[in-house]
Amino acid sequence: MSQERRYSFEFFPTKTEAGHEKLLNVARQLATYQPSFFSCTYGAGGSTRDRTLNTVLQLDGEVKVPTAPHLSCVGDSKAELRELLNLYKDAGIKRIVALRGDLPSGMGMASGELRYANELVSFIREETADHFHIEIAAYPEMHPQARNFEDDIANFVRKAKAGADSAITQYFFNADSYFYFVERVRKLGVDLPIVPGIMPITNYSKLARFSDACGAELPRWVRKQLEAYGDDIDSIQQFGTEMITRMCEQLLQGGAPGLHFYTLNQAEASLAIWNNLQLPR
Ligand code: FAD
């Protein structure tokens, strides 16, 4: 397996001290697998500004895995974004995940000076030149608010060409959607690495809710199988791990440049897949 492939783990900043301690323990465990980097999400509109900042600085500085903050532009002013970029830059952070974001319900319509992620990518380049490696989001099954698939592809291409270095996908359960997306954007001159985002399956009802909201299709046969397990968490996790492992094998064999695990701040499910795949440590 190519050593140049990259494997990364994503966390979200927690609200409580206890949650934060647990996150640090999970991160320390995952750090022993020597991932390429960690990333930490950002609540659009700045709702997790301090928690994301503190978590990133702690993961990077104390757990000692290079950590990429997510940064979204809806609801944040240019001045607020500039301040965060400078804080990260001064702290030696070298990678950033640039997003539009979704404002939490109740925060009203999108505000802020930058409307789409391509504008944020351009802004980061204007402000900090080549300091950051910029990751962008990709949607093999189409972003749920896109007018149509062609439009979404064109928007992704514009965002990539604004100065991104690589992309991480929304999760999906159908490897063909990933391969088709990559093929489409390659034909339009985008050659940056597009890393599949991997969502381990650990809980059916949460996954179904999440997937509806973000436009990831849970195939009927997977849904039916998970439904049949009811509250039998062990069977759900065993089936989920086998199914996702198989999809990751397909992705890596087909040329995916790595994997990005949506850990949901848990180690076991991502590590079960990592170990099944015998990824490098
Ligand atoms: P964009 O690329 O701006 O696209 C958003 C929509 O607008 C798409 O439908 C696109 O087709 C359309 N569009 C894009 N550009 C234009 C244009 N110039 N004119 C007209 N239409 C356009 N959300 C968070 O709040 N915090 C996070 O930390 C976070 N992390 C994420 C990490 C990953 C890897 C992924 C895949 C998603 C993440 N999200 C996060 C979710 C993301 O913010 C949402 O999916 C959001 O709705 C879109 O963000 P984007 O950066 O893809 O937006």
Side-chain angles (χ1 to χ4, degrees):
M1 189 162 293
S2 162
Q3 285 305 311
E4 287 173 24
R5 282 188 165 140
R6 41 170 267 197
Y7 301 99
S8 47
F9 295 113
E10 178 173 313
F11 302 104
F12 61 85
T14 63
K15 288 192 177 136
T16 63
E17 253 321 292
H20 186 67
E21 272 313 305
K22 185 175 161 253
L23 159 57
L24 290 180
N25 284 333
V26 167
R28 286 187 196 104
Q29 188 185 352
L30 294 176
T32 64
Y33 282 69
Q34 299 184 321
S36 312
F37 65 95
F38 287 154
S39 82
C40 181
T41 63
Y42 183 78
S47 55
T48 68
R49 192 185 323 267
D50 292 344
R51 284 187 278 133
T52 298
L53 175 68
N54 292 337
T55 305
V56 166
L57 298 185
Q58 219 171 351
L59 292 175
D60 194 85
E62 290 173 31
V63 185
K64 300 205 182 306
V65 172
T67 301
H70 294 208
L71 184 61
S72 65
C73 58
V74 283
D76 274 38
S77 66
K78 284 187 181 177
E80 287 166 320
L81 295 169
R82 183 178 295 118
E83 190 189 347
L84 265 180
L85 288 171
N86 287 332
L87 281 168
Y88 286 129
K89 191 174 165 199
D90 292 347
I93 299 295
K94 300 286 286 181
R95 184 187 296 263
I96 203 153
V97 184
L99 303 144
R100 183 195 72 176
D102 290 315
L103 282 182
S105 55
M107 278 188 79
M109 292 296 285
S111 54
E113 295 166 77
L114 305 173
R115 288 173 313 152
Y116 295 105
N118 67 297
E119 296 169 28
L120 177 60
V121 173
S122 300
F123 180 73
I124 297 172
R125 286 290 176 236
E126 279 159 28
E127 293 289 323
T128 60
D130 288 335
H131 176 81
F132 290 106
H133 176 114
I134 303 181
E135 305 273 352
I136 51 173
Y139 301 85
E141 296 184 317
M142 197 182 95
H143 183 267
Q145 291 156 8
R147 272 200 315 180
N148 58 50
F149 194 69
E150 294 302 310
D151 232 44
D152 206 31
I153 294 265
N155 287 331
F156 176 80
V157 169
R158 185 191 301 118
K159 178 165 66 171
K161 292 186 176 174
D165 296 292
S166 48
I168 301 170
T169 75
Q170 182 57 278
Y171 68 85
F172 54 85
F173 299 108
N174 173 357
D176 283 340
S177 67
Y178 168 81
F179 291 125
Y180 181 70
F181 180 86
V182 172
E183 195 183 309
R184 287 295 310 274
V185 303
R186 295 282 181 256
K187 283 185 184 149
L188 294 168
V190 171
D191 59 4
L192 46 70
I194 300 173
V195 176
I198 301 301
M199 178 66 86
I201 297 178
T202 54
N203 174 309
Y204 173 55
S205 53
K206 266 196 210 153
L207 183 71
R209 223 175 27 246
F210 242 48
S211 303
D212 278 349
C214 69
E217 191 188 28
L218 197 51
R220 179 182 153 83
W221 67 275
V222 176
R223 218 162 11 98
K224 291 293 170 198
Q225 182 62 77
L226 292 172
E227 272 169 16
Y229 289 133
D231 294 333
D232 180 356
I233 298 291
D234 287 347
S235 295
I236 290 176
Q237 293 185 354
Q238 194 184 338
F239 169 79
T241 301
E242 278 169 23
M243 188 230 147
I244 299 292
T245 300
R246 215 171 305 148
M247 185 180 77
C248 290
E249 278 167 355
Q250 243 180 309
L251 291 166
L252 293 171
Q253 277 162 14
L259 300 170
H260 177 80
F261 291 93
Y262 294 109
T263 68
L264 302 181
N265 293 359
Q266 312 276 341
E268 294 74 19
S270 299
L271 289 184
I273 298 165
W274 183 296
N275 289 330
N276 279 353
L277 292 168
Q278 301 184 315
L279 297 181
R281 276 184 82 162

